[in-house]
Amino acid sequence: MHNAADSNEDLREEYRIKMRGRLLRRSASFNVAHAVDSLEPGTGAQSIQRALTLLNLVGLIAGERREGASLSELASISGRPKASVHRMLQALIAMGYVERLEEGGYRLGVQSQILGQLAQKSVDPLVTESESSLMRLAELSQDTVFLTLRTGSYSICARREEGFGEIFNNALSVGDRHPLGIGAGSLAILSELSPAEVDAQFEANAEILAERYPKVSVPHLRDIIDQARIDGFVHNPGLFAKGSWAVAVPLRIRGSRPRAALSIASIADRVTGSRVERLVALLRREAKAIAEALSSQTDLTPDSGDL
């Protein structure tokens, strides 16, 4: 039984995970904000993508706080002058995609909400089919469960479900974007690629990994991937947000390139020892269920490597 000291230590560990999770979330926001920096300057495409990137950033930040995203924070994360960000926000407000709150912050507007509803009609079948599996996993594990999708050389958190346990994992939220290799689900996807393909992804992300994830060792990531090819699952021992441990399995969809994974995250005590085997068994069962549900569908999304 847990005594008061154990309970206090659990609370402290949860607080440490939350703080480290916030740092990882800021990296995710940075990745979203700088997704188009490699495009040629002065092009119309770059202007459009910067506006859409800002819209995405407003959604990510405002989704976590009632007061919305501040102009200062949007400018800081995007690396753009306040005046430039303000002009772009005003254009998005005029179109109804962003609205300004009385407190001064910004959040997604009605037009964005309508667009989201329309998007539900053409949502990726993999995301749709995974919903019930993620809910079962969250209920059975009592931990936080994620669906990770590959988009080019990055991965994105497409869904998450919270269990009813006492531990809340905030290191990854829907919409968070990280280079392939950052996160258990992302590593599980890489484990399905050839060594040459894995090297190509790390090379493509070498600059962002060095700048935003300086403590991450690519050779260590390769070791985890190699072990995952043997085991059939990834075990992440708090590598990215210290104290936030996770296990993940790839989703193998017939006729589709490796592009998805399921994962469960919690504190170390809940993702070690014999419990790892139980969690992996649950993940594999649901991954199989999703794959079987999609096996007869031919209208899959395009090869994510081309996105």
Side-chain angles (χ1 to χ4, degrees):
M1 293 181 64
H2 267 29
N3 55 34
D6 291 333
S7 298
N8 288 336
E9 180 57 33
D10 287 344
L11 289 174
R12 284 193 291 269
E13 179 66 10
E14 187 175 357
Y15 176 78
R16 287 191 288 267
I17 291 174
K18 184 179 293 185
M19 292 301 101
R20 290 157 184 152
R22 285 180 180 174
L23 294 177
L24 200 60
R25 297 297 317 287
R26 287 190 66 83
S27 288
S29 297
F30 177 90
N31 295 334
V32 168
H34 295 266
V36 299
D37 279 356
S38 60
L39 296 181
E40 293 183 9
T43 64
Q46 189 182 61
S47 297
I48 293 171
Q49 289 195 22
R50 280 181 176 172
L52 292 175
T53 295
L54 181 61
L55 182 66
N56 198 355
L57 199 56
V58 169
L60 284 174
I61 297 174
E64 295 187 335
R65 60 185 73 150
R66 298 182 62 181
E67 66 271 22
S70 70
L71 175 60
S72 296
E73 187 170 18
L74 291 169
S76 175
I77 294 177
S78 66
R80 312 295 179 195
K82 274 188 179 182
S84 176
V85 173
H86 184 262
R87 285 195 299 270
M88 203 170 294
L89 285 169
Q90 292 307 305
L92 291 170
I93 289 173
M95 294 293 293
Y97 287 99
V98 170
E99 64 182 30
R100 188 172 187 183
L101 302 172
E102 292 183 2
E103 296 83 356
Y106 298 87
R107 70 179 180 188
L108 295 181
V110 174
Q111 191 61 43
S112 292
Q113 297 168 27
I114 293 173
L115 195 62
Q117 293 174 18
L118 293 174
Q120 292 298 316
K121 298 180 180 180
S122 58
V123 69
D124 187 334
L126 196 158
V127 177
T128 303
E129 291 295 340
S130 70
E131 181 176 5
S132 57
S133 287
L134 263 68
M135 293 178 68
R136 279 193 296 271
L137 286 168
E139 181 178 356
L140 291 171
S141 69
Q142 297 294 290
D143 292 311
T144 310
V145 185
F146 305 94
L147 170 67
T148 300
L149 296 183
R150 178 187 175 190
T151 59
S153 61
Y154 280 74
S155 66
I156 188 168
C157 177
R159 294 194 76 106
R160 68 174 279 160
E161 288 291 337
E162 297 291 341
F164 293 103
E166 297 179 355
I167 303 301
F168 178 82
N169 188 294
N170 76 327
L172 193 64
S173 292
V174 173
D176 281 1
R177 183 177 184 267
H178 291 287
L180 279 174
I182 302 298
S186 185
L187 286 166
I189 294 172
L190 284 178
S191 72
E192 293 290 286
L193 303 181
S194 70
E197 288 176 304
V198 171
D199 289 341
Q201 299 309 312
F202 284 140
E203 183 177 350
N205 289 324
E207 185 176 343
I208 191 70
L209 286 170
E211 179 179 356
R212 303 300 299 181
Y213 310 87
K215 295 184 179 181
V216 172
S217 163
V218 172
H220 189 188
L221 296 182
R222 286 197 178 96
D223 289 341
I224 294 176
I225 293 168
D226 290 342
Q227 189 62 46
R229 291 193 180 106
I230 297 172
D231 299 335
F233 69 91
V234 165
H235 186 214
N236 170 25
L239 188 59
F240 310 108
K242 189 175 181 181
S244 176
W245 290 44
V247 288
V249 301
L251 273 168
R252 300 184 176 98
I253 312 300
R254 188 175 62 188
S256 177
R257 292 270 296 157
R259 67 185 188 94
L262 297 176
S263 60
I264 298 175
S266 188
I267 61 174
D269 287 348
R270 296 182 61 79
V271 195
T272 52
S274 61
R275 196 166 192 271
V276 170
E277 297 178 7
R278 177 172 176 266
L279 294 178
V280 170
L282 292 174
L283 287 167
R284 283 174 170 163
R285 185 181 69 185
E286 296 304 330
K288 181 180 179 182
I290 295 170
E292 289 177 348
L294 293 172
S295 62
S296 60
Q297 298 185 28
T298 57
D299 186 24
L300 294 174
T301 55
D303 183 348
S304 60
D306 297 330
L307 295 178

